[in-house]
Amino acid sequence: MENKEARCRASIGVFDSGVGGLTVAREIMRNLPGEHIVYFGDTARVPYGSKSKDTIVRYARQIIHFLQTQDVKAIVIACNTASALALDTVEKELDIPIIGVIRPGARVAVSATKNRRIGVIGTESTINSHMYQKLICEADPSVTVYEKACPLFCPLVEEGWLKDPVTKEVARRYLAELLDKDIDSLILGCTHYPLLRSLIRELVGDQITLVNPAYETARELGELLERESLSNPDEPPTPPTAEPYRFYVSDMAEKFGHFANSILPYDIETIQKINIEEY
């Protein structure tokens, strides 16, 4: 019984190529306030979006090894690129549950579309993997998927230019191609992109459903923990604090901290830098 209770009180491991996965961590904090989180951002090797599958699988294995040293009970790949290129490989090597951000987003987009025309925006690697298209068409072969790589979005978000006229013009040019396809649902297929949600909403209008895989992943994680009897039975701290959350990076801890504290509900005081290559 004690082992079971200890397992339930263990943390959720969450990892990303850098800061984008903080949008997933934020949704877990909001939707599963009783769960503890160990977050790793691979800030030394960002971006993942232009790297090969072999490289991403190697990175994912190293990070998962590190998270296992933190005794996590489940892992979330909070990165669309790593979810697309590494999840199928690493989940076969693990004895704890692991989920990515692509499947939850694809599933919700299929249920949301009425005209069976879905748009996907993401990094070059995510788009070139066609993983969203594959999962959507497996769920409903009648759906047509239109994909668009938006490589400038990540640096603009990390620069903090969320509502800048330059970002708006870049977004307008990226999205025009998809809007011409008469899509009625749009997947924000990179964890940076929910931070541009209000700007994208302004450009696409209210008639298009915006699918945020970060939110859908947090919901799927909650269902997985319930199904596996892994939910933390403890009540979340009152008032809520950052205490149950630990953050690690492979470089640039101070810059990561500034960004984290600009988007997370609680200020993070301590961020530890580790040498991920040792794992």
Side-chain angles (χ1 to χ4, degrees):
M1 179 64 77
E2 286 185 10
N3 285 344
K4 175 67 174 174
E5 289 179 359
R7 177 52 37 190
C8 289
R9 291 186 172 92
S11 298
I12 307 296
V14 180
F15 78 87
D16 179 53
S17 59
V19 298
L22 290 168
T23 60
V24 179
R26 179 175 66 175
E27 295 297 344
I28 295 172
M29 292 174 180
R30 288 172 173 170
N31 292 280
L32 305 171
E35 298 297 339
H36 299 185
I37 295 172
V38 177
Y39 183 98
F40 177 79
D42 199 1
T43 44
R45 303 186 295 199
V46 69
Y48 280 11
S50 56
K51 293 182 170 65
S52 70
K53 176 172 180 170
D54 287 349
T55 297
I56 299 302
V57 169
R58 179 169 65 85
Y59 289 176
R61 284 180 172 140
Q62 290 176 327
I63 296 165
I64 288 167
H65 186 205
F66 163 70
L67 291 173
Q68 288 176 310
T69 69
Q70 303 298 303
D71 195 33
V72 296
K73 63 183 177 183
I75 293 175
V76 177
I77 303 182
C79 170
N80 282 267
T81 301
S83 296
L85 301 182
L87 177 59
D88 285 351
T89 300
V90 297
E91 68 180 345
K92 297 169 187 167
E93 304 167 356
L94 286 174
D95 57 1
I96 59 172
I98 182 168
I99 62 172
V101 289
I102 291 183
R103 196 174 299 276
R107 189 184 68 246
V108 170
V110 170
S111 64
T113 184
K114 300 292 191 296
N115 72 357
R116 299 290 182 265
R117 301 168 76 86
I118 296 174
V120 182
I121 53 177
T123 66
E124 289 174 286
S125 283
T126 298
I127 297 304
N128 290 339
S129 77
H130 303 298
M131 189 59 72
Y132 274 107
Q133 183 179 52
K134 176 176 178 286
L135 293 174
I136 288 168
C137 292
E138 281 178 3
D140 186 344
S142 71
V143 172
T144 303
V145 180
Y146 301 95
E147 301 170 300
K148 177 67 178 175
C150 303
L152 293 177
F153 276 172
C154 289
L156 288 167
V157 166
E158 293 190 16
E159 196 64 35
W161 294 11
L162 302 183
K163 298 181 180 178
D164 191 275
V166 171
T167 308
K168 188 171 183 178
E169 180 56 30
V170 168
R172 190 192 311 279
R173 293 176 70 169
Y174 280 151
L175 295 170
E177 185 180 316
L178 294 176
L179 294 178
D180 283 346
K181 304 297 185 183
D182 191 33
I183 60 170
D184 72 350
S185 300
L186 177 63
I187 298 174
L188 308 181
C190 170
T191 47
H192 283 71
Y193 298 2
L195 298 172
L196 296 173
R197 184 187 176 96
S198 61
L199 184 149
I200 292 171
R201 167 61 69 208
E202 184 183 339
L203 292 172
V204 305
D206 293 333
Q207 73 279 8
I208 291 178
T209 299
L210 297 182
V211 177
N212 177 3
Y215 170 73
E216 304 304 339
T217 299
R219 286 187 58 195
E220 182 158 307
L221 174 63
E223 294 169 5
L224 181 151
L225 295 177
E226 285 288 333
R227 193 166 62 246
E228 300 287 333
S229 300
L230 287 173
S231 296
N232 189 352
D234 297 340
E235 291 295 317
T238 305
T241 69
E243 189 177 331
Y245 311 124
R246 287 175 283 148
F247 293 84
Y248 298 85
V249 295
S250 50
D251 200 8
M252 300 182 293
E254 186 175 350
K255 183 176 180 181
F256 178 93
H258 286 314
F259 191 88
N261 289 331
S262 73
I263 69 166
L264 293 178
Y266 321 111
D267 279 350
I268 308 304
E269 295 181 3
T270 303
I271 297 152
Q272 290 183 245
K273 178 183 170 183
I274 64 165
N275 182 1
I276 194 63
E277 296 285 0
E278 292 180 351
Y279 296 88

